Amino acid sequence: MVDKKSKVVAARKAPGVQKKTEPAMFGEISNPTIKVGSQKWYTVPVSMAAHIGVIGAVVIIPLLATDALPTPSSMMAFVAAPPPPPPPPPPPPPPRAAEAPPAPVVEVNPNAAPIEAPEEIVPEAGFDLTEVQGVEGGVAGGVVGGIVGGLPSAPPPPPPPPEPVRVGGNISPPTKVTDVPPRYPPVAQSARVQGVVILEAVIGMTGQVTEVRVLRSVPLLDEAAIEAVKQWIYTPTLLNGVPVPVIMTVTVNFTLG
């Protein structure tokens, strides 16, 4: 350690060495011994041409030596064999036979009359007339076995309704208690049709109008007159104290206001 330090100190103290090294260092900078671009201008192109020539020789010479390359037996060696043809499609399935429609189910009613005559007629079983009993209050001759106790004869039928009589003489006309005015048809109003419709009405025993017949017609007004008269109600007409239907003539007047 002492020797190294003493050498460094001695070097620093030696002025001749320091002065000698400084000019050499700065002189290399100002006047270098190695100069850039000292080669000729054609050095780079010649070098490139030489490299290209070497590479070309390496690539082209093997290509020119065709005798050394192996010869294939046939050009088909480089062509793949064609694929085999696809198999033929399977044949279509045979058509299905048409299914027969199901037979309709016929419901047989045991109580219905037979369509065809039976081959043999046999007596019916399960119905004994001796077990049939009458019903009290029934009608004579209505059922098998009659009525318990029997009836001498059937009740008489109800009497037919009396024929309507025409008003006049001893038959006074009934009094109207419900009046319904006729509805003027819009078509008749547009056509300015007016007049009097004469009707023959049958008034029942209760006072309601049962039948209407036109005696004198006015076009476009008859139906309205009949519809109104059928809604009229009269007092019942009595003959010998008994109500009877009557026939009377009524009029319906249509006027434009």
Side-chain angles (χ1 to χ4, degrees):
M1 295 295 290
V2 175
D3 295 338
K4 289 181 180 181
K5 289 182 179 182
S6 60
K7 290 180 180 180
V8 172
V9 173
R12 289 180 179 177
K13 290 182 179 181
V17 176
Q18 185 175 6
K19 292 179 180 180
K20 194 172 185 178
T21 57
E22 289 178 357
M25 181 174 59
F26 288 103
E28 184 68 22
I29 296 172
S30 61
N31 189 16
T33 58
I34 301 173
K35 296 182 179 180
V36 180
S38 59
Q39 289 84 0
K40 300 298 182 178
W41 61 271
Y42 53 82
T43 304
V44 174
V46 171
S47 176
M48 294 178 61
H51 282 78
I52 293 173
V54 172
I55 295 173
V58 172
V59 174
I60 296 174
I61 290 174
L63 296 178
L64 296 177
T66 56
D67 298 338
L69 295 175
T71 302
S73 59
S74 174
M75 292 299 294
M76 296 301 296
F78 299 98
V79 180
R96 297 178 58 184
E99 297 181 358
V105 179
V106 180
E107 296 183 358
V108 179
N109 186 2
N111 299 325
I115 300 176
E116 299 178 357
E119 298 178 356
E120 182 182 0
I121 299 176
V122 296
E124 295 183 359
F127 187 77
D128 189 2
L129 297 179
T130 59
E131 298 180 359
V132 178
Q133 297 180 358
V135 179
E136 295 184 3
V139 178
V143 294
V144 178
I147 301 170
V148 177
L151 288 177
S153 62
E163 293 292 332
V165 295
R166 187 172 296 276
V167 173
N170 296 331
I171 307 298
S172 59
T175 304
K176 185 192 300 183
V177 294
T178 301
D179 184 17
V180 177
R183 183 181 62 86
Y184 216 117
V187 178
Q189 289 181 345
S190 300
R192 307 294 296 176
V193 176
Q194 57 184 354
V196 178
V197 180
I198 302 176
L199 306 173
E200 185 180 71
V202 177
I203 303 172
M205 294 183 293
T206 59
Q208 295 181 345
V209 179
T210 58
E211 297 179 15
V212 180
R213 184 169 64 92
V214 178
L215 298 179
R216 178 183 176 185
S217 174
V218 177
L220 303 179
L221 300 177
D222 294 345
E223 293 296 331
I226 293 173
E227 183 180 355
V229 171
K230 284 184 176 181
Q231 302 179 54
W232 293 354
I233 298 177
Y234 293 84
T235 57
T237 303
L238 302 178
L239 180 61
N240 299 325
V242 178
V244 293
V246 295
I247 301 175
M248 62 181 298
T249 302
V250 297
T251 58
V252 181
N253 189 14
F254 291 88
T255 57
L256 295 172

